[in-house]
Amino acid sequence: GEERLQIEIHGEPVWREESSLVLLLQLLSHRSVLDLKGAEESLARARELEPTDPRVAFLYARVVDTQGFHDQAIDIMQESARDNPTDASTFDNLGIFLRSQNRTEEAITAFKRACELDPADSNPWYNLANTYIDAEKFDKAEEAMRKHMKLEPSHSCPHYELGLILAERGRSQEAIELFKQYAELEPTDPKGPCSIGIEFTRTGNHVESEKMYREALQIDPGYDWANHSL
């Protein structure tokens, strides 16, 4: 007969009337209406209840980062990583904060740790790949991007991004295959066929390149890149 509030987070029931997760939901509600005072009060209480909860730390870092205190947000996430050394999402989020402040090598270290802890999660591999691109470590970027694509083959962006990397490195045929895969996943985006056309132009296949440019223009007649290429 006791009235209780049930909340499920990732399928895990939370029964306590006041818990860090209940307070986190309050925090999100406050943030959605820019009630920073309310957000800070909920956050402070949540940290009292479970000071090492990685979800509390992440949201705290987000609030602090939003207010412009970027280094403090990173400090919060680094402390959370020390408190939760086996939590992959904590290291992934730490990497995101570090990358946003151009702390590239530290971000790489954080993303690599996230990948080691949960190699089946595609997100850290994608974040790692893009950070390797920032560092111009293209071989490592390709390796990480392919791991992400294997885990999440329907994610279109990596096909295009890896295609660009390979195209710049003179691997046109491989780039064409990736751009084709991107075009299949994103049939309404003219940059897929247009990118294929550019690679055909690079390899001297002007008949096929013209076909691709015209295909791009069928999708979007005003697409400047294709018009210029023609």
Side-chain angles (χ1 to χ4, degrees), residues 91-92 94-100 102-116 124-125 127-138 140-141 144:
F91 284 91
D92 191 31
L94 171 59
I96 291 169
F97 281 105
L98 289 164
R99 186 183 178 215
S100 73
N102 299 315
R103 292 167 63 170
T104 305
E105 291 302 323
E106 292 172 272
I108 287 172
T109 299
F111 289 134
K112 284 173 68 176
R113 182 58 181 152
C115 292
E116 290 167 1
W125 289 112
N127 291 328
L128 177 61
N130 280 299
T131 312
Y132 275 138
I133 292 171
D134 296 340
E136 299 185 353
K137 297 179 179 181
F138 298 114
K140 291 182 180 294

Side-chain angles (χ1 to χ4, degrees), residues 84-94 110-111 113-119 121 124:
N84 302 277
T86 60
D87 186 67
S89 64
T90 295
F91 284 91
D92 191 31
N93 289 325
L94 171 59
F111 289 134
R113 182 58 181 152
C115 292
E116 290 167 1
L117 289 168
D118 189 0
D121 185 354

